[in-house]
Amino acid sequence: MAIVTAQQLNHYYDYYRTTEIKFTKDVIKIFGMDPKQIFLKCNGLQWPCIINSTSFQQVKVIVGTRGGIFQQLVEKMSGAVNIRFFFNRPSGEQLSFFVAGKISGMESYANSTDLAIVTIVFNQRPPDAFIEMVGHLIDANENAIRRFDERILLNKDTCRRLGIPGEETVITIQGVPRRCILRDLSFGGAKVMVLGLAKFLVNKEIELNLQFLDPDETISLKGIILKATPADGRNDIYAAGIRFNEDSISMAYKLRINGYLSSLRKNELENQARQEEIEKQRALVEQKIKEQRAQIIQQNIQKAQQNAPKLQPSQQQNPANPASPAEGKA
């Protein structure tokens, strides 16, 4: 997970404050959350619970209705409680913290009489580490919708930045594995070069295996080949355009694609800011040059006025009674 700045954390908190994220198995694995270490603290005692979903303002947990915790929570309606989060970070470090809040509601979970969902509203902004983890996932989900078909052309540089060791991989078409070469990727699909004939490719179900580094993982994406275009000068090699099944697009894959697109956006903003600063400095220099030129011109005018010859009194005419030509002849 990339290091984020305070500005980025504030962006996550301000823009995604009320956006909830479900704690699926996929999300729990990415977070490295240990469900056995999640507790509700009430009246000085701790009880295990299951996190159902969370936002930056509240968390929903699942508790049993037949244990002592439920009665304690009912008595504590609108009262203070604390929830303990626990995560195993990729670095090997363990991260745990309590977030204080108050109960704002209870309801049955999936019409069960044995389980209930308890909604806890946070009293204050949660820790930055929590905002960073949850913000990354929410941002990836949002961009996966808004930038679903935005293609990333693959070459040595983009593969390196995505953490893909090479452009060659394996695609399984109708149960038959084949070697292929990746040409581009997006949240919603891919393009690969593969041996075959169009009639045996188009509208066929596939599974694309992608190897990633740091951390090492294999992500499998299922989908369908929408079209196949022959390569130049070849009738046995096709560029296959793939659309992924949305239910097979894992959170881990979304994070990989979003991380790359976000880095591009960050570089664009940095370059734009750098260019604006250059233009600003150029404008300041040009303005300074203009001011210096104006100052030099003004100084030259003043010198010219000081050095101009002055007329003697006998050479000056009385402007109130100028001599006429006739008087001059007389």
Side-chain angles (χ1 to χ4, degrees), residues 58 74 107 114 162 183 206 215 224 238-239 260 292 329:
Q58 65 179 29
V74 170
E107 59 182 308
D114 296 326
L162 280 165
R183 281 292 174 257
I206 65 91
I224 188 170
Y238 283 82
Y260 176 81
Q292 290 175 344
K329 291 180 181 179

Side-chain angles (χ1 to χ4, degrees), residues 57 80-83 85 98-102 120-124:
Q57 289 189 318
V81 294
N82 291 270
I83 180 166
F85 292 90
F98 282 92
V99 180
K102 61 180 180 180
I120 301 169
V121 178
F122 298 146
N123 291 338
Q124 58 189 14

Side-chain angles (χ1 to χ4, degrees), residues 171-224:
I171 184 173
T172 302
I173 304 175
Q174 295 291 97
V176 179
R178 306 187 190 186
R179 302 296 300 178
C180 69
I181 299 175
L182 294 167
R183 281 292 174 257
D184 66 45
L185 288 173
S186 70
F187 283 111
K191 181 186 289 185
V192 301
M193 303 299 296
V194 62
L195 283 168
L197 298 176
K199 64 180 180 179
F200 297 120
L201 298 174
V202 178
N203 295 326
K204 304 303 181 183
E205 294 182 351
I206 65 91
E207 183 173 357
L208 182 65
N209 293 320
L210 300 175
Q211 300 288 333
F212 288 96
L213 304 173
D214 192 26
D216 295 344
E217 61 180 340
T218 300
I219 297 177
S220 297
L221 298 153
K222 295 182 179 180
I224 188 170

Side-chain angles (χ1 to χ4, degrees), residues 44-286:
L45 299 175
Q46 291 187 167
W47 287 275
C49 64
I50 300 172
I51 297 179
N52 180 66
S53 65
T54 190
S55 69
F56 295 143
Q57 289 189 318
Q58 65 179 29
V59 63
K60 294 181 179 179
V61 299
I62 301 173
V63 298
T65 59
R66 300 186 184 279
I69 180 176
F70 188 70
Q71 185 60 38
Q72 292 279 349
L73 294 176
V74 170
E75 295 175 358
K76 269 283 191 179
M77 278 296 291
S78 300
V81 294
N82 291 270
I83 180 166
R84 180 181 188 247
F85 292 90
F86 187 96
F87 305 97
N88 292 305
R89 307 308 300 272
S91 61
E93 297 179 356
Q94 294 180 338
L95 174 66
S96 65
F97 50 83
F98 282 92
V99 180
K102 61 180 180 180
I103 300 171
S104 65
M106 292 185 184
E107 59 182 308
S108 173
Y109 175 73
N111 296 323
S112 171
T113 57
D114 296 326
L115 299 173
I117 290 185
V118 180
T119 302
I120 301 169
V121 178
F122 298 146
N123 291 338
Q124 58 189 14
R125 171 172 162 157
D128 286 348
F130 181 80
I131 294 174
E132 179 183 352
M133 290 187 295
V134 176
H136 271 304
L137 265 66
I138 295 176
D139 191 60
N141 276 333
E142 294 291 323
N143 283 329
I145 296 172
R146 292 189 292 105
R147 308 173 75 172
F148 189 75
D149 292 316
E150 187 171 335
R151 298 282 172 174
I152 301 172
L153 297 178
L154 296 182
N155 51 44
K156 288 184 178 180
D157 181 59
T158 52
C159 284
R160 177 183 59 81
R161 295 170 68 178
L162 280 165
I164 297 175
E167 298 171 44
E168 293 187 8
T169 187
V170 175
I171 184 173
T172 302
I173 304 175
Q174 295 291 97
V176 179
R178 306 187 190 186
R179 302 296 300 178
C180 69
I181 299 175
L182 294 167
R183 281 292 174 257
D184 66 45
L185 288 173
S186 70
F187 283 111
K191 181 186 289 185
V192 301
M193 303 299 296
V194 62
L195 283 168
L197 298 176
K199 64 180 180 179
F200 297 120
L201 298 174
V202 178
N203 295 326
K204 304 303 181 183
E205 294 182 351
I206 65 91
E207 183 173 357
L208 182 65
N209 293 320
L210 300 175
Q211 300 288 333
F212 288 96
L213 304 173
D214 192 26
D216 295 344
E217 61 180 340
T218 300
I219 297 177
S220 297
L221 298 153
K222 295 182 179 180
I224 188 170
I225 298 177
L226 297 181
K227 62 179 180 180
T229 306
D232 293 340
R234 298 288 298 265
N235 58 7
D236 60 340
I237 299 178
Y238 283 82
I242 300 167
R243 173 58 60 98
F244 297 142
N245 300 335
E246 291 193 27
D247 59 358
S248 80
I249 304 174
S250 66
M251 195 70 241
Y253 179 72
K254 292 179 183 178
L255 286 170
R256 294 279 187 173
I257 300 298
N258 190 63
Y260 176 81
L261 294 178
S262 296
S263 68
L264 284 187
R265 178 60 176 163
K266 180 181 178 181
N267 290 338
E268 289 173 0
L269 292 175
E270 289 177 349
N271 291 336
Q272 181 181 349
R274 192 178 299 112
Q275 188 62 35
E276 289 176 353
E277 182 63 24
I278 292 173
E279 294 296 331
K280 181 181 177 181
Q281 293 298 326
R282 182 181 292 124
L284 290 174
V285 171
E286 291 176 352

